[in-house]
Amino acid sequence: TRDDVMSVEHAGQHSLEPEVQMERDSPSLGSHPLLDELRGVLRRLKCTPQPIRDGHDHLVPFCESLEAVFRSGLKHPNSWFGLNKQDYWAWIEPLQDYYFNEKQNPLLRDVVTAVASSTKLRTLQAKGRCFLRIALCQKLLSVPIEHLAKNERLTNYWYHSGSIISSPALRELLMGLLFEVTELDFELEVDNSSFLDETWIIPVFLPRKLPPIKTLDMKVGYADRRAVIVLVEKGSLADKAGVEVGDVLDELCGEPVYDSTHGKLKQILLTKTVDATELTVVKKHLPDGSPFYPILKRELQLQNQSLPASPENPLLLHRRPSRVVQTHGESTDYSIVYLGKVEGIRKEPTQDVIDAAVSWVLTTTERSQEIIFKINQSEVSLCPLQKEPLLQLPYSALRGCGRGLMHQTCMVLMVLSEASSEEKQFSIYVCETPSIELAQAICTHIAQGFNRTVKLKDETPNPT
C-alpha cells in the first residue's frame, strides 16, 4: 500500500516532503496495521474532554478498532465446515474456568456473569460488544488477554500463530496501548444494549411506568423480530408518556419482547400482577434528531417501502431539528470531521485502496478539524468553520466516493489530481461521521447527485 502513497497531508498541517512524511509517521518496526490504527484513534480520544460518553465523535471508530484487534487471527474451533463461526466472546466467557486453582479477578467474573445472563444480548457479537463497553468503564480491557496469555496451548487453540494476541511481541504492544486506555474515563450506557448485535451506536431508551392496564393502547407490527409501534391512540397513556409511531417496544413488564407475538404481549399484560405497567421503548431518533437506522429500515419494511437511496427522500430525513444535518432549499449541510488526505495514489481507487487510505490517515492524524460537508444540485464542498473551503468541486470532477470496510463511519472523496505528468494520480479526502448510517447517507446522496448530473448531460440537446 505504501508504494502507492506519495505524501500525506493532515488537517490543519502543511504537506511535508514525501520521504520525510513517511519517515516521521511510519509505524514502529514489528508493529501491526490494526495496532497502528488503534494507536491513532486512541491519540485522538486522549485529546478530547473526559469522561467519554455515548455520542462521542471518536467512540465508534475506537470500538471498531478494538473489536478488529480481538477478531484478528481468531480461529473458529468446533465449527462445522465454517458454519456457526465463533467470536471473541466465545473464549472470554469460559476463560476463568481454566484457572480455577488460581486467584481470579472478581470484577472480571462479575462482568462476564452479567453479560452472559443478560436476556437482551442474543448473539456472540452483542455479548462481546457489551463486554468491551463495560470493560472500558471498569478499566478491565487487558485482564482477559492477560489470563489467556498464561496458557499457550489455549491461546493457540483460539488464535492463529502470528496474530496480535498469540504473538508475544505484538501482544506486548497491544498491552501497552490498553494500559494507555486505562488513563481515559468512560461513562457508557451498559443497560441499553438491545441493538448491539446490529450496531455500535446506542439509541435513546425511554423507560416508562404506567398505571396497571390489561390492553395496550397502541398497535405494534413485527419486522425482523422487533415490535415496531405503528399506532398510538391520541391522548392515551402511551401518547402522554412520549411513545411515538416508529419507536420499538423493547420490554413489557420487565420481559424482553424480541421475537414475540401479539398473543405473547397480551399474555404478559394478563398474567403480570403488578402495581404498574412498565414498558421500555427504543426511540426512532438519536439525540441529535437524526434517524436510528436499524429502526428506520424496519419502519419502512412495515410500510412496504425499500430504504431510500438518498437523504433527499423525506422518509430518511430527521423530523426534528438536528445539529448534524441541516437542509437549506436544495442544499444539505452535514456537520462531520475532516481527518486528512492521501495524495499521489497511482492506482485506481478500489476498495482496497480506500481501506488503505483510511487506515493511513487514522494512524497518522493528530489533529482533526470540524467541517461542514455541503452537497447541492451541482457540486460538493468541504468547508471548515468560518474558513475558505478545503475542496469545492462539481460532480463531474469527482472520481467517486466510498466508505471504509473496517471503519464504516469513515467516508472518502476520490479526486483526480491536477498533475502535469501523463500518469493519472488521485487524492483521497478522508472524513469521519458520527455514525455508520450518516456515512452511508452522505455517500448515497453524492451518488445520486452524480447520477443526476450524468443524466442531465446525456439529455442536453446537441447543438449540431
Side-chain angles (χ1 to χ4, degrees), residues 379-439:
E379 64 181 17
V380 299
S381 56
L382 307 180
C383 303
L385 303 180
Q386 299 178 346
K387 294 183 181 178
E388 292 297 319
L390 290 168
L391 179 71
Q392 188 170 7
L393 291 173
Y395 288 111
S396 58
L398 290 178
R399 184 63 182 178
C401 63
R403 292 184 298 148
L405 285 181
M406 184 172 298
H407 299 283
Q408 296 186 35
T409 55
C410 291
M411 56 85 55
V412 304
L413 281 180
M414 294 163 280
V415 180
L416 184 63
S417 301
E418 296 180 1
S420 57
S421 63
E422 296 182 358
E423 184 181 19
K424 288 184 178 180
Q425 294 188 5
F426 302 94
S427 297
I428 293 184
Y429 292 77
V430 182
C431 299
E432 190 173 77
T433 67
S435 68
I436 297 173
E437 295 74 35
L438 186 62

Side-chain angles (χ1 to χ4, degrees), residues 213-216 222 252-253 255 257 260-274 277:
I213 55 177
K214 294 301 181 182
T215 58
L216 287 175
Y222 290 91
L252 183 61
C253 298
E255 290 194 21
V257 298
S260 297
T261 62
H262 293 283
K264 183 177 180 181
L265 297 182
K266 293 179 180 179
Q267 184 181 12
I268 292 174
L269 289 174
L270 292 174
T271 57
K272 291 288 183 178
T273 55
V274 291
T277 300

Side-chain angles (χ1 to χ4, degrees), residues 1-7 342-347 353:
T1 304
R2 295 187 185 182
D3 293 337
D4 304 318
V5 180
M6 303 297 292
S7 66
V342 182
E343 295 181 307
I345 298 176
R346 296 189 293 270
K347 283 186 176 181
V353 174

Side-chain angles (χ1 to χ4, degrees), residues 19-52:
E19 295 78 13
V20 177
Q21 187 76 29
M22 284 293 185
E23 181 179 356
R24 192 196 74 170
D25 291 327
S26 293
S28 57
L29 294 176
S31 186
H32 189 282
L34 291 179
L35 295 180
D36 296 334
E37 290 179 11
L38 181 61
R39 184 181 295 108
V41 183
L42 178 59
R43 185 190 302 129
R44 300 206 308 278
L45 270 180
K46 294 172 72 173
C47 295
T48 60
Q50 296 185 43
I52 297 168

